[in-house]
Amino acid sequence: MTKLYVVGTGPGDIDLVAPKAMAAIKASSDLVAYGLYLELLGEVCEGKTHHDLPLGEEIGRARLALDLAASGKTAALISSGDIGIYAMATLVFELLDQQLQGKENHPEWLDVDIEVVPGISAMQAGASRVGAMLGHDFCTISLSDLLTPWETIEKRLHACGEGDFVVSFYNPRSKKRDWQINTARDILLQYRPGSTPVLLGRQLTRSDEGITLTTLDQLDAKDVDMFTLVSVGNSESRHIVNGNKEWIYTPRGYKKKLV
């Protein structure tokens, strides 16, 4: 049985790569990824064959990884964060689904043993930087309308607001998409106070990390780029200050028990 590891390597800090992810990479002869992800992993990638495909070539990466594994290589398809959250794992299984429906001509893919190895996601890394922002029910919404119609995204934004979920926005802005985050802000302001705490986490856990704490009414696209995770608290989330330390947490409902 040929082997394909589908590996999430976390937000960037090498110390946050799970041991199982490290073991999968070490066991692989061929690594398929966007080049930056391999650079962040450093020495563990040495001596491997690198297949570096640029951003925008996600389908090509998934196909190549399946092809390499089907040819007898032990391959690893690598993505930052958790590879099952807005990442490459879904493409692997979508291609397999297409093959099972007879829409692909790669029966050899079906013989590949696939193992998905999870990683720490950006929303978890961001929450840890400011305390316990994801302490109660939360959701994630991608603001990219390249693959999902904006009408669907907007419906989900209203559902998030009505449900009072803490929300982490992925893909909040790019060079061609600069209005979605402000529209999302305006929708959430219909459901929660302008003082609701917001985290802007840029390049989380990496050497050039930037953490900004603001409020929902002050959230603005000019402070966000494609490397930024935006997390918005719910109506109960609290921003607390202790000297030079600032934290955001979302209560779970223990208040009555603490009195």
Side-chain angles (χ1 to χ4, degrees), residues 105-181:
N105 187 28
H106 295 278
E108 67 276 10
W109 288 350
L110 301 180
D111 294 325
V112 174
D113 178 21
I114 299 172
E115 181 176 347
V116 180
V117 182
I120 294 173
S121 69
M123 65 179 173
Q124 291 171 292
S128 74
R129 281 296 195 248
V130 297
M133 197 164 186
L134 303 180
H136 210 322
D137 296 335
F138 63 89
C139 68
T140 66
I141 297 177
S142 171
L143 294 182
S144 172
D145 57 356
L146 295 177
L147 301 176
T148 304
W150 178 254
E151 293 76 13
T152 300
I153 296 171
E154 189 168 6
K155 184 185 300 184
R156 291 171 180 170
L157 287 166
H158 282 284
C160 168
E162 290 176 358
D164 199 25
F165 292 100
V166 177
V167 57
S168 293
F169 290 125
Y170 284 69
N171 307 309
R173 182 181 177 180
S174 70
K175 291 179 180 179
K176 296 181 179 179
R177 296 183 300 99
D178 60 358
W179 57 270
Q180 285 91 341
I181 186 64

Side-chain angles (χ1 to χ4, degrees), residues 55-70:
L55 292 176
E57 295 293 332
E58 287 76 18
I59 295 175
R61 267 183 258 149
R63 287 182 178 277
L64 176 58
L66 284 165
D67 286 341
L68 287 167

Side-chain angles (χ1 to χ4, degrees), residues 34-43 45 50 52:
Y34 172 52
L36 174 62
Y37 304 151
L38 300 181
E39 291 176 19
L40 289 169
L41 288 168
E43 294 180 358
C45 297
H50 293 192
D52 175 5

